[in-house]
């Protein structure tokens, strides 16, 4: 599914003052493409994702999906995964994943689809566990399954692994790639983690703040799976860092 972000700006009103969160964002995400977005806190990344999902409206401009303007959120076409877990704490893994699945399905189909998704995210054996009994990474995998169960044609990920330790994060990134290889879902990934942006993205969009704008787009032409320790990866990491910070702001201890 192709997503076109066309001249999108968003102005919020706070205490009768206007705050321009994002200005004139233009970006075409191709079908089956993964686009990473990086930028400092407050530069409007979440605002942009909410507009793409249809949960919020642009002040000017609009979002076009396969050429059609988005007017409302569509759970079926566009899935969104938020930074913080939004699972129901009182429902077990199965029930959390079941949430949002069409009522029209027969009991057997429902059970089969849930089982498939539990397996897809590697949580077999934990069907009856409550979110409080899972680790952070497992909870994010439940969120992933719950979103994927609707077979969205596009997936919007807002800092999905921000709270995870480095090892869990890397295994979740591999999980996302595995799902992408299988489903070829179009993805927009917002992250603070430059390595994650390069590891997953076909392109890395670097945003600047006040107001949030696209500063540059760095293409990532490395074959997958990518090796974070390779020299090619290091070259890209340096390129993104240099865009991320103004070159005189690059931390002195930063070496590639
Ligand atoms: N609903 C809202 N009402 C008013 N202002 C908002 C609203 N949502 C976001 N903003 C403002 O818009 C700006 C961008 O916020 P946003 O949450 O999009 O940033 P972000 O890039 O996602 O930051 P972070 O990396 O910290 O998550 C901020 O200045 C924020 O205060
Ligand atoms: Mg955010």
């Amino acid at each position: 599914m192709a997503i076109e972000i066309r001249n999108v700006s968003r102005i919020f009103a706070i205490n009768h003052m206007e705050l321009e969160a994002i200005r004139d964002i233009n970006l075409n995400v191709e079908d089956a493409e993964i686009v990473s977005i990086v930028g400092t806190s407050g530069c409007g990344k979440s605002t942009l994702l909410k507009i793409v999902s249809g949960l919020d409206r642009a002040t000017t401009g609009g979002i076009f999906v396969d050429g059609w303007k988005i007017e409302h959120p569509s759970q079926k076409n566009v899935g969104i995964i938020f930074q913080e877990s939004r699972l129901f704490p009182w429902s077990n893994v199965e029930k959390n994943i079941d949430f949002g699945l069409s009522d029209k399905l027969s009991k057997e189909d429902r059970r089969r689809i849930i089982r498939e998704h539990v397996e897809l995210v590697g949580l077999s054996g934990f069907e009856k566990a409550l979110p409080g009994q899972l680790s952070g990474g497992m909870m994010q995998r439940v969120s992933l399954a719950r979103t994927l169960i609707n077979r969205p044609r596009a997936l919007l990920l807002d800092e999905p692994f921000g709270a995870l330790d480095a090892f869990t994060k890397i295994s979740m990134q591999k999980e996302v790639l595995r799902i992408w290889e299988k489903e070829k879902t179009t993805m927009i990934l917002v992250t603070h983690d430059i390595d994650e942006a390069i590891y997953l993205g076909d392109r890395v969009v670097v945003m600047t703040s006040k107001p949030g704008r696209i500063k540059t787009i760095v293409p990532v032409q490395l074959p997958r799976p990518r090796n974070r320790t390779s020299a090619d990866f290091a070259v890209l990491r340096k390129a993104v860092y240099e865009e991320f910070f103004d070159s005189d702001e690059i931390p002195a201890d930063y070496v590639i």
Side-chain angles (χ1 to χ4, degrees):
M1 182 165 109
I3 300 173
E4 190 185 340
I5 301 171
R6 204 185 288 171
N7 302 325
V8 166
S9 300
R10 178 70 167 100
I11 298 170
F12 291 112
I14 306 179
N15 291 336
H16 310 292
M17 302 267 287
E18 287 197 337
L19 180 126
E20 192 180 18
I22 47 176
R23 180 189 291 176
D24 221 8
I25 306 274
N26 283 288
L27 180 69
N28 287 338
V29 183
E30 287 168 27
D31 185 35
E33 191 183 16
I34 305 180
V35 170
S36 305
I37 301 181
V38 295
T40 47
S41 178
C43 76
K45 305 178 297 293
S46 297
T47 301
L48 182 63
L49 272 204
K50 278 185 202 142
I51 293 171
V52 173
S53 73
L55 289 171
D56 189 21
R57 294 292 292 268
T59 308
T60 59
I63 306 297
F64 297 80
V65 162
D66 289 339
W68 296 88
K69 189 162 191 207
I70 289 219
E71 305 284 358
H72 308 285
S74 155
Q75 246 197 0
K76 192 150 173 44
N77 282 324
V78 183
I80 181 160
I81 296 184
F82 299 94
Q83 179 168 6
E84 69 292 347
S85 162
R86 298 205 175 177
L87 302 178
F88 299 120
W90 55 83
S91 298
N92 66 26
V93 166
E94 264 176 356
K95 289 199 180 116
N96 264 292
I97 295 176
D98 185 21
F99 176 78
L101 195 56
S102 163
D103 282 334
K104 290 185 194 118
L105 293 168
S106 70
K107 244 185 177 163
E108 292 81 69
D109 280 348
R110 218 181 168 83
R111 225 177 275 143
R112 178 182 50 78
I113 293 170
I114 292 169
R115 196 180 53 240
E116 280 169 9
H117 282 78
V118 168
E119 275 168 24
L120 184 71
V121 295
L123 283 176
S124 302
F126 289 93
E127 292 82 352
K128 306 291 179 205
L130 294 170
Q133 298 168 321
L134 302 174
S135 71
M138 291 160 94
M139 282 197 260
Q140 278 303 48
R141 281 189 268 162
V142 179
S143 302
L144 203 55
R146 181 166 77 176
T147 305
L148 289 171
I149 206 156
N150 292 310
R151 281 289 168 281
R153 295 169 56 218
L155 202 53
L156 310 176
L157 303 130
D158 192 356
E159 284 277 343
F161 316 131
L164 305 180
D165 68 89
F167 296 106
T168 315
K169 198 192 249 192
I170 287 173
S171 77
M172 291 292 292
Q173 291 162 357
K174 285 188 179 154
E175 196 101 353
V176 165
L177 267 193
R178 200 169 55 80
I179 290 162
W180 174 80
E181 263 149 21
K182 209 166 150 209
E183 309 279 341
K184 288 289 180 286
T185 315
T186 307
M187 296 195 198
I188 303 181
L189 166 79
V190 163
T191 178
H192 283 132
D193 180 335
I194 292 175
D195 273 26
E196 177 171 285
I198 298 169
Y199 180 74
L200 291 174
D202 292 301
R203 287 184 289 162
V204 179
V205 173
V206 182
M207 285 180 70
T208 48
S209 58
K210 295 181 187 150
R213 271 172 298 183
I214 293 183
K215 184 176 182 200
T216 193
I217 300 181
V218 179
V220 183
Q221 275 149 351
L222 308 178
R224 293 185 173 97
R226 295 176 179 155
N227 177 358
R228 289 164 224 258
T229 58
S230 73
D232 292 346
F233 202 101
V235 169
L236 280 168
R237 185 185 292 129
K238 184 167 187 286
V240 175
Y241 258 98
E242 279 170 355
E243 293 295 344
F244 200 79
F245 299 102
D246 287 330
S247 24
D248 53 340
E249 276 178 24
I250 294 180
D253 58 352
Y254 174 66
V255 259
I256 59 161

